[in-house]
Coordinates of all heavy atoms in Angstrom, one line a residue:
Y63 N 1.9 17.2 3.4 CA 3.0 16.2 3.7 C 2.5 15.0 4.4 O 1.5 15.0 5.2 CB 4.0 16.9 4.7 CG 4.6 18.1 4.2 CD1 4.0 19.4 4.4 CD2 5.8 18.1 3.3 CE1 4.6 20.6 3.8 CE2 6.3 19.3 2.8 CZ 5.7 20.5 3.0 OH 6.3 21.8 2.6
A64 N 3.3 13.9 4.1 CA 3.0 12.6 4.7 C 3.4 12.9 6.1 O 4.3 13.6 6.5 CB 3.9 11.5 4.0
D65 N 2.7 12.1 7.1 CA 3.1 12.2 8.5 C 4.5 11.9 8.8 O 5.1 12.5 9.7 CB 2.3 11.4 9.4 CG 0.8 11.9 9.4 OD1 0.6 13.0 9.1 OD2 -0.1 11.0 9.8
S66 N 5.0 11.0 8.0 CA 6.5 10.6 8.3 C 7.5 11.6 8.0 O 8.7 11.4 8.5 CB 6.8 9.4 7.4 OG 6.6 9.5 6.0
V67 N 7.1 12.6 7.3 CA 8.1 13.7 6.9 C 7.7 15.1 7.3 O 8.6 16.0 7.2 CB 8.4 13.7 5.4 CG1 8.8 12.3 4.8 CG2 7.2 14.2 4.6
K68 N 6.6 15.2 7.9 CA 6.1 16.5 8.4 C 7.0 17.1 9.5 O 7.4 16.5 10.4 CB 4.6 16.3 8.9 CG 3.9 17.6 9.2 CD 2.5 17.4 9.5 CE 1.7 16.6 8.4 NZ 0.3 16.4 8.8
G69 N 7.3 18.4 9.2 CA 8.2 19.1 10.0 C 9.7 18.9 9.7 O 10.5 19.6 10.2
R70 N 9.9 18.1 8.8 CA 11.3 17.8 8.3 C 11.6 18.2 6.9 O 12.7 18.7 6.6 CB 11.8 16.4 8.5 CG 11.7 15.9 10.0 CD 12.4 14.5 10.2 NE 11.5 13.5 9.4 CZ 12.0 12.8 8.5 NH1 13.5 12.8 8.0 NH2 11.4 11.8 7.9
F71 N 10.6 18.0 6.0 CA 10.7 18.2 4.6 C 9.9 19.3 4.3 O 8.9 19.7 4.8 CB 10.2 17.0 3.8 CG 11.1 15.8 3.8 CD1 12.1 15.6 4.8 CD2 10.8 14.7 3.1 CE1 12.9 14.5 4.8 CE2 11.5 13.6 2.9 CZ 12.6 13.4 4.0
T72 N 10.4 20.2 3.3 CA 9.6 21.3 2.6 C 9.6 21.2 1.2 O 10.7 21.2 0.6 CB 10.3 22.6 3.1 OG1 10.3 22.7 4.7 CG2 9.4 23.8 2.7
I73 N 8.4 21.3 0.6 CA 8.2 21.3 -0.8 C 8.0 22.8 -1.2 O 7.4 23.6 -0.5 CB 7.0 20.4 -1.3 CG1 7.0 20.3 -2.9 CG2 5.7 21.0 -0.6 CD1 6.1 19.3 -3.4
S74 N 8.5 23.1 -2.3 CA 8.5 24.5 -2.9 C 8.5 24.4 -4.4 O 8.9 23.5 -4.9 CB 9.6 25.5 -2.4 OG 10.7 25.1 -2.6
R75 N 8.2 25.5 -5.0 CA 8.2 25.6 -6.5 C 8.6 27.0 -6.9 O 8.3 28.0 -6.3 CB 6.9 25.0 -7.1 CG 5.8 26.1 -6.9 CD 4.4 25.3 -7.3 NE 4.5 24.9 -8.7 CZ 3.7 24.1 -9.4 NH1 2.7 23.4 -8.6 NH2 3.8 23.8 -10.6
D76 N 9.2 27.0 -8.1 CA 9.5 28.3 -8.8 C 8.9 28.2 -10.2 O 9.6 27.6 -11.1 CB 11.0 28.7 -8.8 CG 11.3 29.9 -9.5 OD1 10.6 30.5 -10.2 OD2 12.5 30.3 -9.1
N77 N 7.7 28.7 -10.5 CA 7.1 28.5 -11.8 C 7.8 29.1 -12.9 O 7.8 28.6 -14.1 CB 5.6 28.9 -11.7 CG 4.8 28.0 -10.8 OD1 5.2 26.8 -10.8 ND2 3.7 28.6 -10.4
A78 N 8.5 30.3 -12.5 CA 9.2 31.0 -13.6 C 10.3 30.2 -14.2 O 10.7 30.2 -15.3 CB 9.7 32.2 -13.1
R79 N 10.9 29.2 -13.3 CA 12.1 28.3 -13.7 C 11.5 26.8 -14.0 O 12.3 26.0 -14.2 CB 13.1 28.3 -12.7 CG 13.8 29.6 -12.6 CD 14.9 29.6 -11.5 NE 15.8 30.7 -11.5 CZ 15.5 31.9 -11.1 NH1 14.3 32.2 -10.4 NH2 16.4 33.0 -11.2
N80 N 10.2 26.7 -13.9 CA 9.7 25.3 -14.2 C 10.4 24.3 -13.3 O 10.6 23.2 -13.8 CB 9.8 25.0 -15.7 CG 8.5 25.0 -16.5 OD1 7.5 25.5 -16.0 ND2 8.4 24.5 -17.6
T81 N 10.5 24.5 -12.0 CA 11.3 23.7 -11.0 C 10.6 23.6 -9.7 O 10.0 24.5 -9.3 CB 12.6 24.3 -10.8 OG1 13.4 24.4 -12.2 CG2 13.4 23.3 -10.0
V82 N 10.5 22.3 -9.4 CA 10.0 22.1 -8.0 C 11.0 21.5 -7.1 O 12.0 20.8 -7.6 CB 8.8 21.0 -8.1 CG1 8.2 20.8 -6.7 CG2 7.8 21.5 -9.0
Y83 N 11.0 21.7 -5.9 CA 12.2 21.5 -5.0 C 11.5 20.7 -3.7 O 10.4 20.9 -3.3 CB 12.9 22.7 -4.3 CG 13.3 23.6 -5.4 CD1 12.6 24.7 -5.8 CD2 14.5 23.4 -6.0 CE1 13.1 25.6 -6.8 CE2 15.2 24.3 -6.9 CZ 14.3 25.3 -7.4 OH 14.8 26.2 -8.4
L84 N 12.4 19.8 -3.2 CA 12.0 19.2 -1.8 C 13.4 19.3 -1.0 O 14.4 18.7 -1.2 CB 11.8 17.7 -2.1 CG 11.3 16.9 -0.8 CD1 9.9 17.5 -0.4 CD2 11.3 15.5 -1.1
Q85 N 13.1 20.3 0.1 CA 14.3 20.3 1.0 C 14.0 19.4 2.1 O 13.0 19.3 2.8 CB 14.2 21.8 1.6 CG 15.2 21.9 2.7 CD 16.7 22.0 2.1 OE1 16.9 22.6 1.1 NE2 17.6 21.2 2.9
M86 N 15.0 18.5 2.3 CA 14.9 17.4 3.4 C 16.0 17.6 4.4 O 17.1 17.6 4.1 CB 15.2 16.0 2.7 CG 14.3 15.8 1.4 SD 14.5 14.2 0.7 CE 16.2 14.3 0.2
N87 N 15.4 17.8 5.6 CA 16.2 18.0 6.9 C 16.1 17.0 7.7 O 15.2 16.2 7.8 CB 15.8 19.4 7.5 CG 16.2 20.6 6.5 OD1 17.0 20.5 5.9 ND2 15.5 21.6 6.7
S88 N 17.1 16.8 8.7 CA 17.0 15.8 9.6 C 16.7 14.4 9.2 O 15.9 13.6 9.7 CB 16.0 16.2 10.9 OG 16.1 17.4 11.4
L89 N 17.5 14.0 8.2 CA 17.2 12.8 7.5 C 17.4 11.6 8.3 O 18.4 11.6 9.1 CB 18.1 12.8 6.1 CG 17.5 13.6 5.0 CD1 18.6 13.8 4.2 CD2 16.3 12.9 4.4
K90 N 16.7 10.5 8.1 CA 16.7 9.5 8.9 C 16.9 8.2 7.8 O 16.7 8.2 6.7 CB 15.4 9.2 9.6 CG 14.9 10.2 10.6 CD 13.6 9.9 11.1 CE 13.0 11.0 11.9 NZ 11.7 10.7 12.5
P91 N 17.5 7.1 8.3 CA 17.9 6.0 7.5 C 16.6 5.5 6.8 O 16.6 4.9 5.6 CB 18.4 4.8 8.4 CG 19.0 5.7 9.5 CD 18.1 6.9 9.7
E92 N 15.4 5.5 7.4 CA 14.2 5.1 6.8 C 13.6 6.0 5.7 O 12.7 5.7 4.9 CB 13.1 4.9 7.8 CG 12.8 6.1 8.8 CD 13.6 6.1 10.0 OE1 14.7 5.7 10.2 OE2 13.0 6.4 11.1
D93 N 14.4 7.2 5.5 CA 14.1 8.0 4.3 C 14.8 7.5 3.0 O 14.5 8.2 2.0 CB 14.7 9.5 4.6 CG 13.8 10.1 5.7 OD1 12.5 10.0 5.6 OD2 14.4 10.9 6.5
T94 N 15.6 6.5 3.1 CA 16.4 6.0 2.0 C 15.3 5.4 1.0 O 14.5 4.5 1.3 CB 17.3 4.9 2.4 OG1 18.4 5.4 3.3 CG2 17.9 4.2 1.3
A95 N 15.5 5.9 -0.2 CA 14.6 5.5 -1.2 C 15.0 6.2 -2.6 O 15.7 7.1 -2.6 CB 13.1 5.7 -0.9
V96 N 14.4 5.8 -3.7 CA 14.4 6.6 -4.9 C 13.2 7.6 -4.8 O 12.1 7.2 -4.6 CB 14.2 5.7 -6.1 CG1 14.2 6.6 -7.4 CG2 15.4 4.7 -6.2
Y97 N 13.5 8.8 -5.0 CA 12.5 9.8 -5.0 C 12.2 10.3 -6.4 O 13.0 10.6 -7.3 CB 13.1 11.1 -4.2 CG 13.0 10.9 -2.7 CD1 14.0 9.9 -2.1 CD2 12.1 11.5 -1.8 CE1 13.9 9.7 -0.8 CE2 12.1 11.3 -0.4 CZ 13.1 10.4 0.1 OH 13.0 10.1 1.4
Y98 N 10.9 10.4 -6.6 CA 10.2 10.8 -7.9 C 9.3 12.2 -7.7 O 8.6 12.3 -6.7 CB 9.4 9.8 -8.3 CG 10.0 8.3 -8.6 CD1 10.0 7.5 -7.6 CD2 10.7 8.0 -9.8 CE1 10.7 6.2 -7.8 CE2 11.2 6.8 -10.0 CZ 11.2 5.8 -9.0 OH 11.7 4.7 -9.1
C99 N 9.6 13.1 -8.7 CA 8.6 14.1 -8.8 C 7.5 13.8 -9.9 O 7.9 13.0 -10.8 CB 9.3 15.3 -9.1 SG 10.0 15.6 -10.7
A100 N 6.4 14.3 -9.8 CA 5.3 14.0 -10.8 C 4.4 15.1 -10.8 O 4.2 16.0 -9.9 CB 4.4 12.8 -10.4
R101 N 3.7 15.4 -12.1 CA 2.7 16.4 -12.3 C 1.3 15.8 -12.1 O 0.8 14.8 -12.6 CB 2.9 16.9 -13.7 CG 2.0 18.1 -14.0 CD 2.1 18.7 -15.3 NE 1.3 17.8 -16.3 CZ 1.0 18.0 -17.5 NH1 1.5 19.2 -18.1 NH2 0.2 17.4 -18.3

C-alpha cells in the first residue's frame, strides 16, 4: 500500500470470480480521485 492509504484501505481478490476489490475506510477529502484497476 501507498503510505497515504496504509491502515485505511484493503486490497483483496477473488480469482474464481475474476474480481479485485478495494475496501476504503476512514475516507478523507484528499482521497477524492478517479480510481483505476490494472493488471
Side-chain angles (χ1 to χ4, degrees):
Y63 300 90
D65 288 341
S66 59
V67 306
K68 193 173 299 182
R70 299 187 297 120
F71 291 11
T72 302
I73 188 171
S74 61
R75 66 190 301 163
D76 186 342
N77 287 338
R79 292 177 168 81
N80 254 10
T81 303
V82 182
Y83 305 95
L84 186 68
Q85 178 67 46
M86 306 185 295
N87 298 326
S88 301
L89 283 162
K90 305 174 180 179
E92 52 262 44
D93 295 319
T94 295
V96 177
Y97 283 71
Y98 301 89
C99 69
R101 189 186 78 167

